[in-house]
Amino acid sequence: MPEIWGKMPITEQPWSTVGEVQRVERFERGVELDCGNARVIISILAANLVRVRMAPNGEFSPRRSWATPVADEEWEQVPFELQETPEALELKTEQIRVTVGRNPVQITCFDQSGRVFAQDAEPGMAWRQGASANWKQIAEDEHFYGFGERTGLLDKRSDRLTNWTTDSLDYTALTDEMYQAIPFFMALRPQLGYGIFFNTTFWSQFDIGAEQYGVWKMQSQSKDLDYYIIYGPEPAQILQTYTQLTGRMPMPPRWSLGYHQCRWSYDSEEEVRQLAQEFRKRQIPCDVIHLDIDYMRGYRVFTWSPKRFPDPKTMVKDLSQDGFKFVTIVDPGVKEETEADYLPFEEGLEHDYFVRTAEGKIFHGYVWPGRAVFPDFLRPDVREWWGNLQKELTDVGIAGVWNDMNEPAMNDRPFGDPGKKMWFPLDAPQGPADEQTTHAEAHNLYGQMMARACAEGLERLRPNARSFVLTRSGYAGVQRWSAVWTGDNQSLWEYLEMSLPALCNLGLSGVAFVGEDIGGFAGNATAELFARWMQVGMLYPMMRAHSTTASARHEPWVFGDRVEKICREYIELRYRLLPYLYTLFWEAASTGAPILRPLLYHFPNDPKTYNLYDQVLLGPSLMAAPVYRPGVEERLVYLPEGEWYDWWSGETYQGANHILAQAPLEKMPLFVRAGAIIPLAPVMQYTDERPMDELRLRVYPGEGEWTLYEDDGHSFEYRTGAWATTTYRVHSDGPQTIVEITARQGEWQPRSRQVIVEVVGKGEQQFEDDGSDRRLTF
Ligand code: GLC
């Protein structure tokens, strides 16, 4: 049955609900309630963070070593008041109130103005054989975002969204299960936003009013119910707390913010050298070349094809002189080769690292190398081994690893045969011996734990250089170890259109370093589509073009001079914006803020932004309104409250307005908020071509502030103080614009450079940057 028809209805057991509260026990972080056989624990972990747990039989599952959220004990204890009445109890923090009815046991939250949120709906918390669930009210004007990796548009109200990692290679706007499974979302209405992290790695599902209008439901195949309520009220605060709970990204190497070129595959040394030369010859900036599966010997992971890449070390070394970094793909499937001298298989077999079935047989599936076996990444010893295997790559000079097919993807027959997708049996044991579980609990973590093994291994192997890690599959918290790209999109306009809402929803799920395949993976882009995609791709936190083996070539120069020029211009714009972008990555690393943001992120009280999926903000200041249709050369743009500048012409517009923007193929409409300060670097052919000898600050008159973050871009020294921040402020004083620069903070010293302060529409002043404070008048 096609997936879009949905699943056949099956008769399921009725739900059992929690009985009347019989006993209340206060402990330092909350209350524990006995409700017949069931027990409920409500913990106050921060003034805006509440954890709710319900165990149907009174026994809570122990904490797992692979648990994503920070343990309760690690939160600094916060005060809360407890009040009991005959009908309910009430827990009150500095920000919210949580009431729990005694019979029925239902939870309701209130903000300080008494607005209700996350309120249980009938039947509240419930369970049945092998499942637990919770129902809550949807406010009439509420909208829903996040949910990890999703297709379609921005707001997920009326959708049913399953969390089960899947190789969804031919996804459409109606596809449910995707590569990533991140059981987190946020609900937003004017003045009030809250997030829900459903703390389960088992199969789970959100139903946002699809089954019953006005009610959302979450259910999981785990026996306990366990979720966190995060009060905002704004998305930024929700994300800050959510990423405090599940982790934040580390600072990436600066080169990974440059342009990445990929294809399945640049499959010989000669081809790779030519590709690199072409970029430099045509003066199209590029930092990274990705090597897809054909660099390997017969798709054996951690090998090199002696025929196609006889001397990869020299190739990497030579091209690194020219500024190129290399990223190689690694799949989890290890070729099963009992006779050959293939170490990853032999060692894995010897140490029993591969997933077995419940009957004790090593499990196998078919992937690129044919019959393959799969490491159990839930085990720390397996992760360590796998991490170290990457020495085969780092010894060659590889600077990043692209983890693919890690849902994990596999077939029951060799690839190319008419086989079926499959996964490990749900009862296959996984995890360390003292903590064993089954694949049912571990499935959604498989890709995440592979990415973790990779990131931790690379840090051991390259202790002085940040590495780049990319993964297709992941779970909540994936940002701690890896960037994410959205798998196999298609070279069609509708996929271009879906890419920004998809990346925005990932950003609203804590995953800031994200990208889509520019140009589309499957199929052939037209010149026009490719040009428009490159413009949009300039905004992707990871800017990588990629295409499948059967598609036409998708490099910036294959579509003729006009499109080549457009690609160059937008890639150059990306490189000029690097100081701005790098600061946004620092913000993501320190607060969990997304890099690419839907407008609702900064205008959460403006309902006009709630369904605005086709405009985005790159950081707080730059707003793009790209074109997603062939032949379109103008488009409607919504400018929220405030004053806006056209990036290209400097023209100003009053916000809370729609305008018609001109958008010939050469132009993606781009706007800047008044009061913005955008730091720009000179164009370079790669990020480290030379130190930034000139920093241009484009200041847009108004009230505003911007802190620029800098460090060496590649080492870990920023962790011990080798960073620098400089805060710039702008305001008006009568007809004058004043720009104030505060003294540089931190221990890192940029090399000597000119700073040009350009106040748009007024002129520029420059000075030699010595890190001291200044006041400039325009
Ligand atoms: C998968 C990946 C794709 C890659 C291909 C070959 O389809 O999603 O990006 O090129 O495998 O490795």
Side-chain angles (χ1 to χ4, degrees), residues 434-639:
D434 56 349
E435 224 188 346
Q436 237 175 37
T437 185
T438 61
H439 188 65
E441 186 179 4
H443 177 84
N444 282 337
L445 288 168
Y446 194 81
Q448 173 121 320
M449 290 297 125
M450 180 191 183
R452 176 177 177 181
C454 170
E456 291 174 347
L458 288 176
E459 191 164 334
R460 286 194 299 276
L461 293 161
R462 295 161 38 89
N464 302 317
R466 301 176 214 164
S467 303
F468 171 70
V469 178
L470 183 62
T471 185
R472 194 169 74 175
S473 187
Y475 174 75
V478 64
Q479 65 272 7
R480 290 171 61 187
W481 298 290
S482 185
V484 166
W485 101 104
T486 53
D488 299 347
N489 61 0
Q490 300 178 21
S491 300
L492 297 170
W493 290 95
E494 41 278 45
Y495 286 79
L496 171 62
E497 186 178 28
M498 286 197 295
S499 77
L500 289 176
L503 298 183
C504 283
N505 273 325
L506 270 164
L508 293 179
S509 308
V511 193
F513 199 1
V514 289
E516 290 249 352
D517 289 347
I518 295 173
F521 175 73
N524 305 321
T526 61
E528 186 186 3
L529 175 63
F530 196 78
R532 289 300 191 191
W533 213 317
M534 196 58 88
Q535 294 171 343
V536 174
M538 189 279 287
L539 305 162
Y540 295 168
M542 180 187 75
M543 186 183 189
R544 185 185 81 156
H546 182 37
S547 51
T548 184
T549 172
S551 69
R553 302 289 294 225
H554 278 181
E555 291 85 27
W557 48 83
V558 301
F559 299 98
D561 291 348
R562 182 176 179 198
V563 171
E564 179 178 341
K565 204 160 158 262
I566 293 170
C567 292
R568 183 182 302 103
E569 190 186 344
Y570 282 83
I571 297 176
E572 284 183 355
L573 177 57
R574 169 85 175 193
Y575 279 71
R576 285 168 65 207
L577 284 168
L578 270 174
Y580 178 70
L581 274 167
Y582 195 62
T583 301
L584 293 177
F585 275 81
W586 166 65
E587 229 189 285
S590 40
T591 72
I595 292 158
L596 192 70
R597 306 168 182 175
L599 271 66
L600 62 94
Y601 185 85
H602 285 291
F603 300 93
N605 297 320
D606 178 357
K608 284 212 172 66
T609 65
Y610 290 180
N611 269 301
L612 198 63
Y613 68 89
D614 63 351
Q615 293 177 217
V616 286
L617 281 156
L618 185 60
S621 310
L622 265 183
M623 197 256 287
V627 169
Y628 308 97
R629 282 286 172 267
V632 172
E633 298 208 315
E634 54 198 1
R635 62 154 289 177
L636 195 66
V637 178
Y638 177 62
L639 299 172

Side-chain angles (χ1 to χ4, degrees), residues 530-757:
F530 196 78
R532 289 300 191 191
W533 213 317
M534 196 58 88
Q535 294 171 343
V536 174
M538 189 279 287
L539 305 162
Y540 295 168
M542 180 187 75
M543 186 183 189
R544 185 185 81 156
H546 182 37
S547 51
T548 184
T549 172
S551 69
R553 302 289 294 225
H554 278 181
E555 291 85 27
W557 48 83
V558 301
F559 299 98
D561 291 348
R562 182 176 179 198
V563 171
E564 179 178 341
K565 204 160 158 262
I566 293 170
C567 292
R568 183 182 302 103
E569 190 186 344
Y570 282 83
I571 297 176
E572 284 183 355
L573 177 57
R574 169 85 175 193
Y575 279 71
R576 285 168 65 207
L577 284 168
L578 270 174
Y580 178 70
L581 274 167
Y582 195 62
T583 301
L584 293 177
F585 275 81
W586 166 65
E587 229 189 285
S590 40
T591 72
I595 292 158
L596 192 70
R597 306 168 182 175
L599 271 66
L600 62 94
Y601 185 85
H602 285 291
F603 300 93
N605 297 320
D606 178 357
K608 284 212 172 66
T609 65
Y610 290 180
N611 269 301
L612 198 63
Y613 68 89
D614 63 351
Q615 293 177 217
V616 286
L617 281 156
L618 185 60
S621 310
L622 265 183
M623 197 256 287
V627 169
Y628 308 97
R629 282 286 172 267
V632 172
E633 298 208 315
E634 54 198 1
R635 62 154 289 177
L636 195 66
V637 178
Y638 177 62
L639 299 172
E641 187 90 76
E643 204 187 352
W644 294 85
Y645 286 79
D646 182 306
W647 168 265
W648 307 107
S649 68
E651 210 173 316
T652 57
Y653 298 94
Q654 217 37 60
N657 243 323
H658 285 89
I659 61 163
L660 191 67
Q662 294 306 309
L665 190 58
E666 278 66 24
K667 190 167 133 195
M668 170 172 70
L670 204 52
F671 301 87
V672 194
R673 275 163 101 168
I677 297 163
I678 312 269
L680 297 170
V683 171
M684 297 190 198
Q685 295 309 300
Y686 54 96
T687 49
D688 289 325
E689 192 177 359
R690 56 176 199 277
M692 184 170 63
D693 41 21
E694 183 190 292
L695 172 65
R696 175 175 288 267
L697 294 163
R698 247 210 215 170
V699 180
Y700 292 84
E703 291 277 320
E705 175 178 320
W706 170 259
T707 297
L708 175 73
Y709 172 85
E710 300 171 276
D711 61 25
D712 70 12
H714 58 84
S715 80
F716 292 105
E717 283 169 27
Y718 71 96
R719 290 180 182 165
T720 49
W723 49 264
T725 56
T726 315
T727 299
Y728 305 94
R729 290 198 182 88
V730 59
H731 68 268
S732 304
D733 185 1
Q736 290 182 328
T737 299
I738 314 292
V739 178
E740 281 171 346
I741 302 168
T742 57
R744 188 160 49 230
Q745 307 279 306
E747 288 164 21
W748 188 71
Q749 287 286 336
R751 55 151 273 178
S752 69
R753 64 186 176 201
Q754 282 299 110
V755 175
I756 303 168
V757 180

Side-chain angles (χ1 to χ4, degrees), residues 264 292-293 329 368 402 404-405 472 485 487-488 521 546:
W264 176 12
D292 206 329
I293 46 176
I329 198 168
W368 308 118
W402 163 22
D404 189 23
M405 305 291 272
R472 194 169 74 175
W485 101 104
D488 299 347
F521 175 73
H546 182 37

Side-chain angles (χ1 to χ4, degrees), residues 32-47:
E32 192 165 327
L33 316 175
D34 282 352
C35 315
N37 289 335
R39 266 156 91 203
V40 173
I41 299 181
I42 298 176
S43 314
I44 304 289
L45 301 176

